[in-house]
Amino acid sequence: MKIQSNLYALSKNDPAQARPNERPALTVADKAAAQVDNLQQSGENLAAAESRLADADAAKKVLDFVKQNLPSQNPGDLIKDSDESRRRIADLMAD
Protein backbone atom coordinates (compact mmCIF):
# COMPACT_ATOMS: atom_id res chain seq x y z
CA MET A 1 0.00 0.00 0.00
CA LYS A 2 2.77 2.41 0.84
CA ILE A 3 4.33 1.98 -2.63
CA GLN A 4 1.06 2.80 -4.34
CA SER A 5 0.53 5.89 -2.22
CA ASN A 6 4.10 7.05 -2.98
CA LEU A 7 3.52 6.56 -6.71
CA TYR A 8 0.29 8.49 -6.44
CA ALA A 9 2.09 11.33 -4.61
CA LEU A 10 4.83 11.37 -7.26
CA SER A 11 2.35 11.52 -10.09
CA LYS A 12 0.57 14.46 -8.48
CA ASN A 13 3.85 16.40 -8.04
CA ASP A 14 5.35 15.55 -11.41
CA PRO A 15 4.54 18.36 -13.89
CA ALA A 16 4.72 15.96 -16.83
CA GLN A 17 2.19 13.68 -15.16
CA ALA A 18 -0.01 16.49 -13.92
CA ARG A 19 -0.50 17.95 -17.41
CA PRO A 20 -0.19 15.14 -19.92
CA ASN A 21 -1.97 17.07 -22.68
CA GLU A 22 0.73 19.75 -22.80
CA ARG A 23 3.52 17.38 -23.83
CA PRO A 24 2.22 16.79 -27.37
CA ALA A 25 1.61 20.53 -27.74
CA LEU A 26 5.22 21.24 -26.82
CA THR A 27 6.39 18.62 -29.25
CA VAL A 28 4.32 20.19 -32.02
CA ALA A 29 5.68 23.63 -31.10
CA ASP A 30 9.24 22.29 -31.15
CA LYS A 31 8.67 20.71 -34.56
CA ALA A 32 7.18 23.93 -35.90
CA ALA A 33 10.16 25.94 -34.61
CA ALA A 34 12.56 23.46 -36.18
CA GLN A 35 10.69 23.69 -39.47
CA VAL A 36 10.93 27.49 -39.40
CA ASP A 37 14.67 27.21 -38.75
CA ASN A 38 15.00 24.78 -41.65
CA LEU A 39 13.10 27.13 -43.95
CA GLN A 40 15.31 30.04 -42.93
CA GLN A 41 18.44 27.99 -43.58
CA SER A 42 17.05 26.87 -46.95
CA GLY A 43 16.40 30.50 -47.86
CA GLU A 44 19.96 31.46 -46.94
CA ASN A 45 21.33 28.55 -48.97
CA LEU A 46 19.20 29.57 -51.95
CA ALA A 47 20.40 33.18 -51.74
CA ALA A 48 24.03 32.03 -51.56
CA ALA A 49 23.55 29.75 -54.58
CA GLU A 50 21.92 32.55 -56.57
CA SER A 51 24.84 34.83 -55.70
CA ARG A 52 27.37 32.24 -56.88
CA LEU A 53 25.44 31.80 -60.13
CA ALA A 54 25.35 35.57 -60.68
CA ASP A 55 29.12 35.73 -60.05
CA ALA A 56 29.72 32.92 -62.54
CA ASP A 57 27.51 34.63 -65.13
CA ALA A 58 29.40 37.93 -64.67
CA ALA A 59 32.75 36.16 -65.01
CA LYS A 60 31.59 34.44 -68.20
CA LYS A 61 30.46 37.77 -69.68
CA VAL A 62 33.83 39.36 -68.89
CA LEU A 63 35.65 36.40 -70.40
CA ASP A 64 33.51 36.54 -73.55
CA PHE A 65 34.13 40.28 -73.82
CA VAL A 66 37.89 39.81 -73.51
CA LYS A 67 37.86 36.98 -76.06
CA GLN A 68 36.05 39.18 -78.55
CA ASN A 69 38.15 42.30 -78.06
CA LEU A 70 41.61 40.83 -77.55
CA PRO A 71 42.23 39.65 -81.13
CA SER A 72 41.20 43.03 -82.52
CA GLN A 73 43.95 44.85 -80.63
CA ASN A 74 47.43 45.25 -81.93
CA PRO A 75 50.01 43.48 -79.73
CA GLY A 76 52.13 46.63 -79.72
CA ASP A 77 49.19 48.59 -78.29
CA LEU A 78 48.75 46.02 -75.56
CA ILE A 79 52.37 46.39 -74.48
CA LYS A 80 52.11 50.18 -74.60
CA ASP A 81 48.93 50.10 -72.45
CA SER A 82 50.61 47.75 -70.01
CA ASP A 83 53.63 50.04 -69.66
CA GLU A 84 51.37 53.04 -69.17
CA SER A 85 49.43 51.22 -66.43
CA ARG A 86 52.68 50.36 -64.66
CA ARG A 87 53.77 54.00 -64.78
CA ARG A 88 50.45 55.15 -63.32
CA ILE A 89 50.70 52.63 -60.50
CA ALA A 90 54.27 53.69 -59.77
CA ASP A 91 53.20 57.36 -59.73
CA LEU A 92 50.37 56.58 -57.31
CA MET A 93 52.69 54.67 -55.01
CA ALA A 94 55.28 57.45 -55.07
CA ASP A 95 52.78 60.04 -53.80
Side-chain angles (χ1 to χ4, degrees):
M1 278 291 186
K2 188 162 181 106
I3 293 174
Q4 285 181 339
S5 63
N6 286 340
L7 289 175
Y8 179 73
L10 284 174
S11 68
K12 288 187 100 179
N13 293 329
D14 185 8
Q17 294 292 331
R19 296 176 274 185
N21 291 337
E22 289 184 15
R23 280 193 295 173
L26 291 176
T27 305
V28 169
D30 290 339
K31 287 180 181 178
Q35 189 174 14
V36 168
D37 289 341
N38 287 341
L39 288 173
Q40 288 174 340
Q41 185 64 43
S42 295
E44 291 173 10
N45 291 345
L46 181 62
E50 287 173 344
S51 176
R52 286 191 298 270
L53 286 172
D55 290 346
D57 288 343
K60 185 175 181 338
K61 287 179 182 179
V62 168
L63 183 62
D64 290 343
F65 177 78
V66 169
K67 282 181 180 179
Q68 287 176 355
N69 291 320
L70 193 60
S72 66
Q73 292 188 2
N74 183 358
D77 291 341
L78 291 174
I79 294 171
K80 184 175 114 183
D81 290 344
S82 173
D83 290 341
E84 185 177 326
S85 296
R86 286 187 197 145
R87 272 188 255 122
R88 286 183 188 165
I89 292 171
D91 289 343
L92 287 173
M93 293 175 71
D95 289 339

